Amino acid sequence: MSAGDGPAAPLPGSPGVRVAAGHHPSRPHLTELRLSAFASHRRASFPMGPLTLLVGPSGSGKSSALRAYEALARLAAGAELGEVFPDPLACVPEWARPDAQRRRGFRIGCTTHGPEGPVRLDVAVQAEPELRVVGERLAVGGQVLLETALRDPSRRAVQAAWHTAGSAPVTRAPLPDDRLGTALLPLRVAGKTEGQRRVLAAAEQMVVALRSVFACDPRPDRMRTPVPTGSGRLLGGCDNLADVLWRTRSECGRRHAQFVAAVHTGCAGPVADVLAELLGDGRVRAVLDRGEGARTELARLGDGELRYLALALVLFTGPGVLEVDPAGEVPAAMQTLTVLADGLDRRLDPRQRDELLGLAARMCDRGHIRLLGTATDASWATRTEGLTVVHLDP
């Protein structure tokens, strides 16, 4: 592992960390995010609970931590390195100096828990002179199951070695230097020996834990206008919220009723329903039914109301409605959707903020959804049951 400086270590000065008592060990899930050398982070380690808030002032690296998490998720889903890091130099720490070959890079990693116990993944990425993976390590209980390294810079491949425990203890083969090796293992490992099956199980746990991620930052300015009907899958900016309501209102009456109740709590005035109206030009617009024939277009709502409404909808839906890439080969009962919400409390008043966090805590306690959000302050949230608060220093 050559990008960055030094191994990951616990983040110093992280008071106020509270971890939920209830958990669902059968579902693979992330328990730690490591940014050994990424953007402004150095030797940083963040514990992850079902509901986690990264808290700190502007410039403390909250948003970059979410970007690193999303990058790991996309790599686990099989995305190429260039797609995941379109501006890789922005990920290189400013203090990182090039080596004799003018190479600089960054290092990220995580730990997941599930049926295989704690599985650890660490990835080193070279950002210049060429973007490529230069090292990767997948380990369980201190035993390295997969390790890759860049041996020949002239070749677009890394040398990989994975645990076999058969007639040969290790299998060696080249892997592409633009993808995550862990995500490729099911295509390369036969699973004939106990060692190979352990490698496959660890890789599957890591991929399933990371893969279903929905990065969400509602944009009120884009939610006010009517939209064409389409896939009915919610985008990260919630621009097409009206199209999603057009689809979901009739799919599950009980869940929609719970969503309406949450909107009633967080929005001013009475709310009898939240629905989409089909306009004459084929587009749909979202409205609040105030009862007794009165309706309010979303265009008339405040920014805080729109963000609250959109985030509540995200918490009440799932991979089939959100624009995410779930692991289709794994039963839904074994998967967990992780929502990344940058600025979770942005533009929300205290009532909306408290109601949304309470809703998130209830939904995350069920085990099928997890939420990692950011906030500049968490003094208002410390009494929330099941909340993990991680303080970041600037």
Side-chain angles (χ1 to χ4, degrees), residues 95-106:
W95 41 262
R97 296 291 178 262
D99 63 12
Q101 286 75 40
R102 299 184 296 108
R103 296 177 299 185
R104 290 198 308 159
F106 51 90

Side-chain angles (χ1 to χ4, degrees), residues 246-338:
W246 179 256
R247 169 192 168 184
T248 61
R249 184 171 177 268
S250 61
E251 287 188 350
C252 181
R254 181 180 60 84
R255 182 177 297 177
H256 183 75
Q258 293 174 334
F259 168 64
V260 171
V263 174
H264 172 72
T265 304
C267 292
V271 177
D273 200 356
V274 185
L275 64 156
E277 296 178 331
L278 184 63
L279 304 179
D281 58 2
R283 296 183 300 165
V284 289
R285 66 180 178 189
V287 299
L288 299 185
D289 183 350
R290 301 294 194 176
E292 299 182 353
R295 292 185 173 183
T296 302
E297 297 180 26
L298 258 61
R300 301 175 65 89
L301 300 184
D303 287 357
E305 289 179 304
L306 288 174
R307 282 185 60 85
Y308 173 88
L309 187 151
L311 290 167
L313 181 62
V314 169
L315 292 171
F316 276 112
T317 55
V321 175
L322 306 177
E323 190 66 40
V324 299
D325 180 25
E329 65 277 11
V330 179
M334 291 296 294
Q335 298 188 47
T336 301
L337 170 69
T338 300

Side-chain angles (χ1 to χ4, degrees), residues 8-359:
L11 180 68
S14 296
V17 175
R18 301 173 55 203
V19 181
H23 58 90
H24 303 262
S26 62
R27 296 173 183 261
H29 57 278
L30 203 79
T31 54
E32 181 188 39
L33 175 67
R34 289 185 300 279
L35 305 181
S36 302
F38 185 82
S40 63
H41 298 283
R42 181 175 184 174
R43 299 181 182 180
S45 175
F46 308 131
M48 297 286 138
L51 173 60
T52 305
L53 274 183
L54 302 181
V55 178
S58 177
S60 59
K62 302 185 299 296
S63 297
S64 61
L66 293 193
R67 288 199 301 272
Y69 191 127
E70 185 180 10
L72 285 170
R74 295 183 63 191
L75 289 172
E80 294 183 1
L81 207 61
E83 300 173 11
V84 177
F85 299 107
D87 184 12
L89 292 181
C91 304
V92 178
E94 292 183 358
W95 41 262
R97 296 291 178 262
D99 63 12
Q101 286 75 40
R102 299 184 296 108
R103 296 177 299 185
R104 290 198 308 159
F106 51 90
R107 292 192 297 153
I108 57 179
C110 65
T111 299
T112 68
H113 277 65
E116 302 306 310
V119 179
R120 179 182 174 116
L121 173 69
D122 294 285
V123 184
V125 178
Q126 175 185 292
E128 59 180 5
E130 293 178 300
L131 180 64
R132 61 202 311 180
V133 175
V134 294
E136 180 179 348
R137 186 178 294 126
L138 183 73
V140 177
Q143 181 182 23
V144 177
L145 300 182
L146 167 71
E147 188 166 25
T148 72
L150 180 65
R151 302 298 186 193
D152 183 356
S154 66
R155 297 183 61 194
R156 294 312 308 248
V158 292
Q159 184 63 36
W162 57 80
H163 184 62
T164 306
S167 56
V170 174
T171 299
R172 302 182 188 277
L175 289 179
D177 68 352
D178 63 346
R179 294 180 185 271
L180 190 69
T182 297
L184 298 175
L185 283 178
L187 303 176
R188 302 297 298 268
V189 180
K192 294 181 178 180
T193 69
E194 183 61 31
Q196 289 178 340
R197 287 190 288 272
R198 190 180 187 202
V199 170
L200 288 173
E204 180 181 88
Q205 177 171 301
M206 181 60 64
V207 168
V208 172
L210 280 172
R211 187 163 166 178
S212 294
V213 164
F214 182 65
C216 179
D217 188 5
R219 296 285 304 272
D221 56 318
R222 298 181 180 179
M223 295 165 57
R224 291 189 167 91
T225 57
V227 296
T229 56
S231 66
R233 300 187 71 188
L234 190 65
L235 303 175
C238 301
D239 315 25
N240 63 332
L241 183 138
D243 179 40
V244 174
L245 285 173
W246 179 256
R247 169 192 168 184
T248 61
R249 184 171 177 268
S250 61
E251 287 188 350
C252 181
R254 181 180 60 84
R255 182 177 297 177
H256 183 75
Q258 293 174 334
F259 168 64
V260 171
V263 174
H264 172 72
T265 304
C267 292
V271 177
D273 200 356
V274 185
L275 64 156
E277 296 178 331
L278 184 63
L279 304 179
D281 58 2
R283 296 183 300 165
V284 289
R285 66 180 178 189
V287 299
L288 299 185
D289 183 350
R290 301 294 194 176
E292 299 182 353
R295 292 185 173 183
T296 302
E297 297 180 26
L298 258 61
R300 301 175 65 89
L301 300 184
D303 287 357
E305 289 179 304
L306 288 174
R307 282 185 60 85
Y308 173 88
L309 187 151
L311 290 167
L313 181 62
V314 169
L315 292 171
F316 276 112
T317 55
V321 175
L322 306 177
E323 190 66 40
V324 299
D325 180 25
E329 65 277 11
V330 179
M334 291 296 294
Q335 298 188 47
T336 301
L337 170 69
T338 300
V339 176
L340 306 180
D342 200 8
L344 180 67
D345 60 344
R346 188 185 307 137
R347 299 181 182 177
L348 303 185
D349 64 31
R351 175 176 56 95
Q352 293 167 335
R353 189 179 60 190
D354 294 343
E355 290 292 338
L356 184 65
L357 194 64
L359 172 61

